[in-house]
Each structure stands twice: as structure tokens, then as C-alpha cells.
């Protein structure tokens, strides 16, 4: 296990802890993401799901918007995105269009679906393969710290179930 304060463990775990910190900002929908410069490790963007504002504001999309605000729409090929949940088809498509070649996630789409968050049944790898005429990712890695994020998603499910009727339990 990695200690987020000391950064001990693999570099992927170190950055996933930062994505988890983002996810904790929205305990009902714990989708958090950070974008780092692949060589230097500098944080270039971050975000958490704000889908209550707009359905397109998944954690990855918020992080990508933050990246553009801070870096401009350039340099994507030198970045790695870390996210608590496997990117949905919308988010993975945006990453393909941006040419963001390295994507690391924790919980799989299947695991997220087990917590009653609806997901399009299309993996990040399937989306990348469908974009292969213009997109060639260098790294698509899942399962990093998934035991921690799976627990976050399960806690979120219980939290949503305890809310009054009429609250939308299925939106991620």
C-alpha cells in the first residue's frame, strides 16, 4: 500500500492517491482525476465529478478543462491522466481526441456498475481501439489502488441509498 503523504510505493499509486483526494470532494459520486506531466510529475490539471452542474462534467472532463485553462490545448502527449474510475466512453473519446496517450485508472467499469452507478458497457480499451485510425495510446492501465476506490464507490452507494426518495441514484 502507498502512503499518500510520503509518496512511497509506485509512481502510479502516488498519483492515484491524488485522484482519490479529488474524488473525496464529492462523496456521492467519487470520480476524481489528475493530469501529470509524465517526465516531471508536475500536476497539470485536476478535477472531480460535478455532474450536478452539467452531465458532461465527469472528473476526467473537469481535469481536462482545468489542464486547458492552465496549460492551453497543447502538450497532451506528454501527460498522464489518473482517475478513480475507468473512463466512460465519453471521457475516453475526449482523451483520444486530445491525444492523451497514457491513462491509468483504479476501479473498472464493471466494478462501478456493481455499485448501481449506470455506465455504458464499453471499456476504455474498446474506445481506444475504435479510435485506432488516429489514436495510439502508450499506456492504458487499470486496477491501480482499486481496492481503495472500490470501497469509495461502495460507500457512495450506501450514502445515495440513504437519501430521500426522488434523488437520482443512477447518475455518475
Amino acid at each position: 500500500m502507498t502512503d499518500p503523504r510520503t509518496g512511497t510505493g509506485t509512481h502510479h499509486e502516488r498519483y492515484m492517491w491524488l485522484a482519490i483526494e479529488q474524488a473525496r470532494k464529492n462523496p456521492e459520486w467519487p470520480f476524481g482525476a489528475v493530469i501529470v506531466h509524465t517526465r516531471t510529475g508536475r500536476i497539470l490539471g485536476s478535477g472531480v465529478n460535478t455532474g450536478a452542474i452539467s452531465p458532461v462534467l465527469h472528473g476526467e472532463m473537469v481535469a481536462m478543462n482545468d489542464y486547458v485553462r492552465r496549460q492551453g490545448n497543447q502538450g497532451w502527449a506528454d501527460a498522464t491522466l489518473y482517475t478513480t474510475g475507468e473512463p466512460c466512453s465519453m471521457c475516453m473519446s475526449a482523451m483520444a481526441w486530445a491525444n492523451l496517450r497514457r491513462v491509468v485508472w483504479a476501479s473498472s467499469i464493471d466494478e462501478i456498475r456493481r455499485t448501481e452507478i449506470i455506465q455504458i458497457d464499453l471499456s476504455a480499451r474498446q474506445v481506444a481501439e475504435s479510435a485506432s485510425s488516429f489514436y495510439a495510446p502508450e499506456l492504458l492501465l487499470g486496477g491501480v489502488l482499486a481496492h481503495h476506490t472500490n470501497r469509495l464507490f461502495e460507500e457512495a452507494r450506501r450514502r445515495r441509498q440513504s437519501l430521500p426518495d426522488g434523488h437520482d441514484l443512477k447518475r455518475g
Side-chain angles (χ1 to χ4, degrees):
M1 179 176 3
T2 302
D3 183 330
R5 293 158 299 201
T6 64
T8 56
T10 72
H11 69 283
H12 291 314
E13 290 174 344
R14 178 176 167 221
Y15 297 118
M16 189 59 71
W17 277 116
L18 296 176
I20 290 170
E21 285 178 24
Q22 289 295 313
R24 287 188 174 131
K25 294 177 182 178
N26 186 345
E28 280 185 59
W29 310 106
F31 295 91
V34 295
I35 302 172
V36 303
H37 190 278
T38 302
R39 285 185 318 253
T40 68
R42 191 173 66 119
I43 304 302
L44 304 173
S46 62
V48 64
N49 181 298
T50 54
I53 296 169
S54 169
V56 300
L57 294 179
H58 292 189
E60 299 94 334
M61 301 296 276
V62 174
M64 290 178 75
N65 284 332
D66 186 44
Y67 174 99
V68 169
R69 183 184 59 75
R70 294 164 63 178
Q71 313 302 318
N73 188 16
Q74 60 188 355
W76 293 101
D78 297 324
T80 303
L81 185 140
Y82 292 86
T83 179
T84 56
E86 181 175 355
C88 72
S89 56
M90 174 185 69
C91 293
M92 193 63 215
S93 294
M95 291 175 217
W97 287 119
N99 198 28
L100 209 164
R101 297 180 191 162
R102 284 170 296 286
V103 182
V104 179
W105 63 87
S107 297
S108 69
I109 286 175
D110 287 339
E111 192 62 39
I112 294 166
R113 290 172 78 190
R114 282 193 254 299
T115 64
E116 300 176 359
I117 295 174
I118 58 171
Q119 296 286 296
I120 295 171
D121 194 11
L122 194 59
S123 74
R125 287 181 179 90
Q126 288 171 307
V127 172
E129 186 177 311
S130 295
S132 64
S133 65
F134 64 91
Y135 179 61
E138 295 172 12
L139 176 68
L140 297 176
L141 177 64
V144 175
L145 296 180
H147 53 292
H148 290 283
T149 56
N150 290 347
R151 191 172 28 227
L152 276 179
F153 286 112
E154 182 55 36
E155 289 167 3
R157 181 187 66 79
R158 288 193 295 274
R159 185 175 285 107
R160 290 188 311 272
Q161 287 177 335
S162 69
L163 293 173
D165 286 345
H167 183 78
D168 189 345
L169 297 177
K170 303 295 184 185
R171 294 240 161 156

